[in-house]
Structures are given as C-alpha cells and as structure tokens.
Amino acid sequence: MTTNGTNGTAPEAAGDDYLEMDLLRFTTAGSVDDGKSTLIGRLLYDTKSIFQDQMDAVEEASKARGMTDDESIPNLALLTDGLRAEREQGITIDVAYRYFATPKRKFIIADTPGHVQYTRNMVTGASTADLAVILIDAARGVQTQSKRHGFIAALLGLPHVVVCVNKMDLVDYSEQVFEDIVDEYTDFAAKLDVQDITFIPVSALVGDNVVDRSDNMPWYQGSTFLHHLENVNVAGDKNLRDFRFPVQTVIRPNQTFRGFAGTIASGVIRPGEEVMALPAGTKSTIKEVTTFQGDLSNARAGEAVVITLEDEIDVSRGDMLVRPGNTPTVGNKIEAMMCWMSEEPLARDRHYILRHTTREVKAFVDDIRYRVDIDTLHRMDSESLGLNEIGRVLVSTASPLFFDSYSLNKQTGAFVLIDPYSNTTVAAGMIRGEGQDADKVAASAQRLAGMERKKSANVTWEGLNIPREEREAEQDHQAAVLWFTGLSGSGKTTVAREVERQLFQRGVKTMLLDGDQVRHGLCGDLGFSPADRAENIRRVGEVARLFFESGALTLCTFVSPYRGDRDWVRDLLPEGRFLEVFVDVDIETARERDPKGLYAKVDAGVIQNFTGVSAPYEAPENPEMTLDTTDATVEESAAEVIRQLEEAGIISAA
Amino acid sequence: MATVETTYRDSHLRALEAEAIYIMRDVAAQFERPVLMFSGGKDSIVMTHLARKAFHPGTIPFPLLHVDTGHNFDETIDFRDWLVDELGVRLEVASVQEAIDKGRVIEETGPEASRNGLQIVPLLDAIQEHQFDAAFGGGRRDEEKARAKERFFSHRDRFGQWDPKNQRPELWHLYNGHKNVGEHFRVFPLSNWTEMDVWQYIALEEIAIPSLYFAHEREVFDRRGTILAKTDFMELLPGEELRTQTVRFRTIGDATCTGAVSSTASTLPEIIQEVAAARETERGGRHDDKRSEAAMEDRKKQGYF
Ligand SMILES: Nc1nc2c(ncn2[C@@H]2O[C@H](COP(=O)(O)OP(=O)(O)O)[C@@H](O)[C@H]2O)c(=O)[nH]1
C-alpha cells in the first residue's frame, strides 16, 4: 500500500508486504514548463500519496491563483512546485527530495530544476539515483535541455533512463510525433554511454500512461510510467564482483575486540576469506562479519557491518580491505571527469581537499585536458573550469588513493573536492583511470601521431600484384578481420578456434593470429606497458592486414585492452571489414576458469600489469558483436558469430 | 553466535537503515564532539536505536541532549530516563526554565503561550558550553516543504543559523564536515525516511516507545481544530471545555502545543494501519505550526531543530 492515502484503504499495509518492498531512487529533469511538476504531482495524486491537509492547501492555493487546469482536479504542479515559488522570489533553486510508495517499491525522487545554470544540481541529484526521468514536451520536440539531461545521466553512470514524451494531448496523441522524437533522441543517445533507455508517451495533465493505461494511444504497447518505475530491475546494477570495504571507524569496546566498521562498497565477503589491507598490503583472514543482530555468513554491497580479522594488523579509517587477487588501482594520479560547482573557478596553483570513500587527501588539479560543451558535446581547450562546467582533468594527490574507474564501481570511482579555505564542496569527480605523467602522455601522443601519419600515407595499397577484389571474386566469401577482444580467460581463443574450424569446413580461407603465439616470435621483444601493448597491436594489425589483402577471413585473438589501439587497427581496414567481437565475461568467472594459470600467478605477485586486475580494460563502445560467455557454450557462441558473419554478407549462408 | 535471517536484506528499510548507520559512523569519525538531540519522540528514539546498531559491540560514543521546555508529559521523562539507563549513555539537559530564570529568554504570556520558540537559546547555549560540533536531529524531508531541500550534513554558522541560500552540494555518500572553529553541523540520518518507514521500522525492530503513542483515555479540549491535553501549564480559554476521550499522540513535543488524535489504535499494527489510512500529515497535529505558514523555515533559520 501507499505510505498513506486519501482513500483510507490500506488494510494490507500493516502486513509483511511492506517489508519486502525495495527502493528506487530516481531523478527528474526537464526544461521549464515541460510539465515536470505536473507529472510528479500526477504520480503522487494517482498513487494516493497526497495527504488530505496537503491537498487542502493546494486546492486553496489553486483557487487563490485562479489557476486550475481542470475542473475536477486541482493544479497538480502546485504540489511539488516549491521550487517555482522560490524562483519567483529569487531564493535558492536546488534539489528537492520527495517520497512515495506503492506496494512494490518505495521511491525517492530527487527533483531538480532544469535551467541552463543548474548543471550542478542535476549532477547532485543524479549522484545517488538509479534512474533518470527526462521530460520532453511533445509539442516543442527535443530541446537542447533534453540533451543536456541525457549527457549528465550518462556522465553520472545512471544505468536506466526513461524519456517521458509529455503533453501528448496537445499533438492529438500522434504516433508520428512520438516516433520522430524517439528517433531524434535515440540518435543523440547513441553518442552517450546509456545502457537502458525507454520512451513513454504521456499526458501528465490528463493522466495518460502515467499510472493508468491510456485509451487515447492504442498504438502504444509499452508500460505505463509507474509500471516501468515499479519493475525496472535495479538489483542487477550493484557491483557484486569486486570486494571493496572502506573502513569508516574502528570499534574497540575492550582489549579483546577490535572491529572495523563500514559499509561494503561493492562485492561480497564471507568469514574465512583472505583479505588485504590497503595501503599497507598486509594480509589476513576474515574472522567474523558481525552486526547488532548477530554474525553473518556473508555480507554484500550496501550492508553496514563490522569486520574482525584473525590477525592483529594495523588498519584505520581511510584504509580499505580488498581481496588480494582483486585489487583496485593504487596511485597518486587520476584521470577524471569533473563538474565544477562553485562560483569561484578552479585554480591550478593551489591545493584542494579530495574526499574519496572514507579518505581525505590533499590534491592539485595538474591539468585540464579539455572542457565539454554539454550542449554540443564538443571538447574545447580550457585553462580552468567555472561554475557548472564539466571537463576532463588530471589530479595529483599527496598520498595514494585506492580507486576503480567510476564506470565499473561508483563507490570507489567517485570523489569530491573541498576548498580548504571556504570549507565548501566545489567539485564532483568521476574517475576514468590512472593518470599518466605529462611527459609520458606527450611521448605516447607523439608516437600515436607518427602512426597516424604512416597510416594515412597508405590507406589504399598501391601496386599489389593481384588486388584483393580479384581474389575475392574467385572465392565464395569476402575478406575480413574478425577481432576478438576481452579479458584473459574470457574464451576468445576457444571460441575463435571453433569458428575457424567451422569456416574451414565450409571452404572459407582463414587464418588465426593468437596473442600468445605472436609474443613468442613477431613481438617477442615487447612487454606489457601501455606503450609496448600499443606496439604489439600495431604489428599484429599490420600482419592481419596482409592476410586480409590475401583474401583471408582473418581471426585475431588479443586481450587488446585499449580502445585506442583497437581503433587504430580498425582504421587500417575498409569500412565493414573490421569486425570487433567483444568477448564479455566478468572478472570472477574469468578468474575461476584461469585456463593458463595466469590469475594464480598474478595473485602470487609473479605477474604485474595484468588486465582486469592491475591494468585497465577498456570495453568496446560499439562492437560489431558481443558474446557473453558466462553461461553460453562454445558451440552457441561460435554459432552466433557464424550467424552474424552471414548476416553481414561476409560469408554466404550454409 | 546465531546466524541472522536474510529475508529482508534487500528491503528499503534495510537500505534506509544502512544509510543512517553510515552517516552516524561518519559523524563519529569526522567530528570531535557529536551529540544526539533527544526530544523523547519516536524519531529520536529510532535514532538512538540506529546509533546502538552502528557502534555495536561498543557503546554509543556520544551523549544525548534533551532540550527540556519544562512542559513535559510525565511519560516522556520516565521513558527518557529509562532509555538512557538502558543504553548506558550520558544525558545532558538544556533547560528552558533555567534560561527563563537567568533572563536569557522571556516567557510568552497569556493562554496561548508556547515555549517552543524558547528552545533555541538554551539549545545554542548548550552547544556552545559543551562545544558540540555536530548535533544529530531526527528531521525527515517528508515532514515539511522547507525540509525537502535539507542536507544530511547541514552547516550552521557561529550563530547557529542555517543559510538555505548557501548550502553545500551533497553528492554520493561523500559528506563534507569541514568547518571553522565555533561553527557546527546539524546531521539528519533519517532524512530519507517517511513517517510510515519509521513506524514500520519500530515494528520490525521491536523498539520500545512511550505509552503516549498508544491509544489511552485522557482529559482533553479543542483549540482551533487541535485536540490538546489538559496539563498544569495551560489555561482554558472562554468557551473551551474539558472532556475525556480516547486519544493518542502522533508526535511528542511540548505538552502545550502537541495535538492528540482521536484513536483507538493501541498496538503497533493498529497504529501502522492508521498511519496508512491517515488523512493528515504528522505536523498537521502540531498546534504551533499553524501560527504561520512559513513557521518552520523561520525557526530553522534561527537554529531550531
Ligand atoms: N496539455 C498539457 N499541458 C500540460 C501537461 N503537463 C503539464 N502541462 C502544462 O504545462 C505547464 C507547465 O507545467 P509544469 O508542470 O509547471 O512544468 P515544469 O516547469 O516542468 O514543472 C502547466 O501549465 C501545465 O498545466 C500535459 O500533459 N498536457
């Protein structure tokens, strides 16, 4: 039942249902007058979440202002429109939180006004949200504001976005109008990293598709807004792979008990498991995971617990417990996206206090790589960041941080900057990865620039004795490079070998280049630093291209963790002939498989810079194929590749 | 030791609980002298329960502060003393009567006199005297429009004032407790709870609460639509008449201005059903708020809870 209700029907509310409800936090944003206040008001009204005395107040206010939109209902916008009144009076415009519940879920709305200057509020509201609701006025179409909201939702890593196309009543409930908006916004969103985007045509004023299904839009088969909010799966958004436990405080009631109190940032832990304390690197075993109610057999992300260890090791606030085989990056330099939130612009010649998990360190912003114009998404050179500006920065800290990239782990990837003079919070940051020294960056940039020149000098090869096109005309398939990328143990080689075998049986001319194989000969002189990895991929790319020009369907299986390196190979080949296959598996599964015993060696400290553990893996943004091998069999994965090759017209159907 | 049930681990109550515990632990770590403002009402009782959980198996590492208007229901003080004993914490009392006696504040006169507004001075005096640098309050954002924008960590200047125009952005769960000497913070661990959440949590955790919350017979009278209890501190106005009625209180504060509701709910499940069917928000029953619409915002700016 709802938390309350004007109709007084809530007998089951006292039952256990309430205890099984989960929580969804969402943020709402829209341009002025898109109908955001009306939509939220409608949601509260139709879920009977409005108290009688609140309703009376609204009715009175509606009358006083002579602004009732509809005879039967009071002006719903007034229910939530504290912000508008403030705006008129020139008071703070900020994030306001509202609450309502249905039998399925409790909802927390972070309501942010959608003006040009309020990026900072949208960022704040989105930081704790699971889902973003973006409003578009059907009559006005996609506005710059609507795009800005999408950009911020993506920047803050919100896994779910709902676009409510509002005021459908004003466009005669036209499917065409809706579809045009969907198309335009989908095009735009493709540039962003949004995983789950849903469009819903609504009329907040009339109530179509908000809580109740609309008879006015029979062409719309999807969920109503509330139904979607109630059912979107957020449990799966939690990172349960990488155990990270930032210690908040030490609990020591007597000589015999010493426990570390904190909330598990991500992952799962059980008594008896080995852990390592950062920054010291000392190891111990979990003795108990305890709470007021008793000991737990396991504890997972989001739970507030006290952990005790078998050994007396030195751990205090700001330290982090992790698994020895799955550690965050430990470093003094970070690359991050940052939103500036203070009137006083970012200064590079003075320090700030950086707050990350339960740790505070002094920090300098060494470099502003670029600033993003959030309306056009263009990157611009910039010396500083001002209020509401967003940019990519390099930050140095006085002592190391233990971090993950924000996209993999929000809890250990987020930070704020605090001005030590005014004590206010001046910036919000989302870590992209480990920062590199300016010298190194310059050197690698130069190297990359060199490569680019080389490439552009011979985009099409002149003077091949027999051009590839002629070779292809003689065979029943096209030439292509099939590039398998993914973590060690993801199954790249196994799947590629199976694919090659099947292709071979069909008479396709193939060649397979494998990472381990080339490292013995062709690239035997290279290590695993980013620069060496780049050179490795460059050589392999050139070799793959030779096979390609010979007409072969060339399969390459390389971890190839850097997007830039893979894109470089992509650029060597004609459009449509480089097919990136992302072999996707989580690190825990890869670790369990450990076919070559590499993870064990990493854990033992024999191997450093290992992708997915102590070196980054940049997943492809738009791979031609994605294979999730967690549960799929080799045969299934191979069949999928073959099917897609047929579909792409590289090979003909069997 | 017993292994606990995992049934409700993913429920929203557990999420709210974990959030509150995180905040309490962070305050204990970030501040030198925190204090928990204890009103005697269910929200502050829930806070003490959360504090106990947060620091278990240790004890609560901060005292409770009760701002005592002197106009209490007996049940409130009995319960307070019992709870303090049970928790093994120190209790500080900031007395409005003392402040009146010392001439720090001037008592309102007349039948409608309220000591609610007089709490601010003794509260701020106590904060200064004990050098408290963080004070937990039981405020919830769902209570009032003015509170919807309140932070978990709410900065107060040297005069104890809140500046709604100049609040710090609060992102993720990274709370900024930096301040200058003499300033302090109000911290609201229950910000995201609703009245229903509080009741459900009391039931789930079997938390003891004062008998005033349950239906009982009492001598009452009506004043401007509010049912007030007969007390020694209040005179009846002409036309007001005492009667005996079965009532209960939805909030517990100063006895002169906390309204009762007519109710027969005498168990937690009954109260929860009543809350679910409620037609009025909690503060609707607070006589004092009706004096002015902007009452809450005004009082907050001055340093009220
Ligand atoms: N026709 C129509 N008008 C709407 C709808 N939703 C909101 N409005 C109107 O649009 C105006 C702005 O709405 P409001 O909710 O205050 O917008 P906000 O600025 O985004 O909060 C008001 O006059 C609303 O009545 C809708 O679905 N259909």
Side-chain angles (χ1 to χ4, degrees), chain A residues 31-39 69 77 81 84 166-170 202-206:
Chain A
S31 313
V32 184
D33 287 344
D34 280 349
K36 183 165 62 72
S37 311
T38 312
L39 181 71
D69 285 309
D81 218 4
R84 177 183 312 254
N166 188 32
K167 306 197 188 178
M168 288 301 293
D169 55 314
L170 294 186
V202 302
S203 166
L205 192 64
V206 186

Side-chain angles (χ1 to χ4, degrees), chain B residues 65-82:
Chain B
L65 173 66
H66 182 213
V67 181
D68 181 1
T69 61
H71 291 170
N72 297 299
F73 295 107
D74 293 342
E75 293 94 325
T76 309
I77 299 299
D78 292 347
F79 186 87
R80 177 194 79 184
D81 294 342
W82 170 81

Side-chain angles (χ1 to χ4, degrees), chain B residues 44-55:
Chain B
S44 52
I45 294 167
V46 164
M47 276 204 295
T48 60
H49 183 78
L50 289 164
R52 186 188 227 179
K53 289 190 123 179
F55 302 101

Side-chain angles (χ1 to χ4, degrees), chain A residues 558-610:
Chain A
F558 294 85
V559 175
S560 49
Y562 297 110
R563 216 171 272 144
D565 293 347
R566 295 190 302 263
D567 286 347
W568 185 84
V569 180
R570 178 186 291 273
D571 287 345
L572 286 176
L573 297 155
E575 273 270 304
R577 299 301 185 89
F578 177 85
L579 305 166
E580 199 172 2
V581 184
F582 178 30
V583 187
D584 191 9
V585 87
D586 64 47
I587 181 91
E588 290 303 323
T589 309
R591 173 188 295 283
E592 262 165 43
R593 292 177 183 162
D594 203 8
K596 300 173 199 153
L598 293 174
Y599 287 94
K601 285 190 194 160
V602 173
D603 292 357
V606 181
I607 302 179
Q608 262 103 40
N609 286 337
F610 194 70

